Amino acid sequence: MLPAYVPNPVAAIFGGGTPIDLGRKAGDGRRILGDGKTYRGLLAGVFSGLLVGFAEIVCSGAGLPGWLPVPTVTTILSLALGALLGDIAKSFFKRRLGKERGEKWFLADQYDLVFGSLLLLALLSPGWFIAYITLPVLVAILIITPILHRAANIIGYSLGVKDVPW
Ligand code: CTP
Ligand code: MG
């Protein structure tokens, strides 16, 4: 899950500039995504997730039991890109609900990256998904993610990288 966890904080650090929705509004008069989703954040985030993933591929080669598939570029790209697509999709629905940028949305803010990364993984890397994302692994992900999310956001807030500690 590291390639899925790294892109969000990296986007918060390196993001900014042109918003993905180019400032455009939807039919409801609100922004399509908002200023919190930028091209720079998306590119830096996916790139960082890929770097972490490549490091994992290099490290995993020797240590994996033969019956477990080795992660591929598709695997780590699914996780990294899926995490940020989940985040973008969340912002889309957040705006449609009338929530402003940075406003809290319980559960959606925590699990958007899990939903996006696992969905893209299941679509693009189904063999890997079935081999690794077993029920106990999924339960572990669902428990660990909100804890990591909260910790990362508190750190990001105290460093001044994030405007709000959630
Ligand atoms: N960010 C970015 N591009 C992305 C994702 C995030 O530039 N694709 C940066 C933005 O500066 C954003 C910060 O990371 O403000 C924190 O991300 P997040 O909490 O997801 O955005 P919010 O500002 O809270 O916006 P939203 O309400 O839409 O979630
Ligand atoms: Mg947010």
Side-chain angles (χ1 to χ4, degrees):
M1 283 302 280
L2 282 180
Y5 285 141
V6 167
N8 268 293
V10 168
I13 294 170
F14 293 103
T18 310
I20 295 171
D21 66 8
L22 301 173
R24 282 177 301 199
K25 291 178 174 159
D28 56 12
R30 297 179 178 277
R31 288 286 296 277
I32 297 175
L33 300 174
D35 284 332
K37 307 296 122 157
T38 68
Y39 285 105
R40 212 163 74 205
L42 179 63
L43 288 177
V46 171
F47 182 73
S48 68
L50 288 178
L51 278 186
V52 172
F54 281 123
E56 286 185 283
I57 290 176
V58 170
C59 296
S60 68
L64 286 177
W67 48 274
L68 276 178
V70 171
T72 63
V73 175
T74 310
T75 315
I76 61 175
L77 181 66
S78 307
L79 288 168
L81 183 61
L84 287 183
L85 289 182
D87 177 54
I88 289 169
K90 179 218 44 201
S91 289
F92 176 81
F93 291 114
K94 213 168 167 180
R95 299 297 93 80
R96 303 291 73 72
L97 290 174
K99 290 181 188 289
E100 300 298 334
R101 172 188 179 185
E103 207 175 306
K104 250 187 206 159
W105 189 11
F106 184 54
L107 293 183
D109 280 328
Q110 287 77 29
Y111 288 117
D112 54 357
L113 76 105
V114 173
F115 185 76
S117 59
L118 295 188
L119 180 66
L120 207 58
L121 188 66
L123 291 173
L124 300 183
S125 215
W128 205 88
F129 178 85
I130 288 166
Y132 283 88
I133 312 298
T134 55
L135 192 59
V137 169
L138 185 64
V139 170
I141 290 171
L142 293 180
I143 294 171
I144 291 168
T145 302
I147 299 170
L148 282 178
H149 187 266
R150 185 84 183 117
N153 284 322
I154 290 172
I155 294 170
Y157 177 70
S158 53
L159 292 177
V161 166
K162 269 199 65 109
D163 299 333
V164 288
W166 52 77

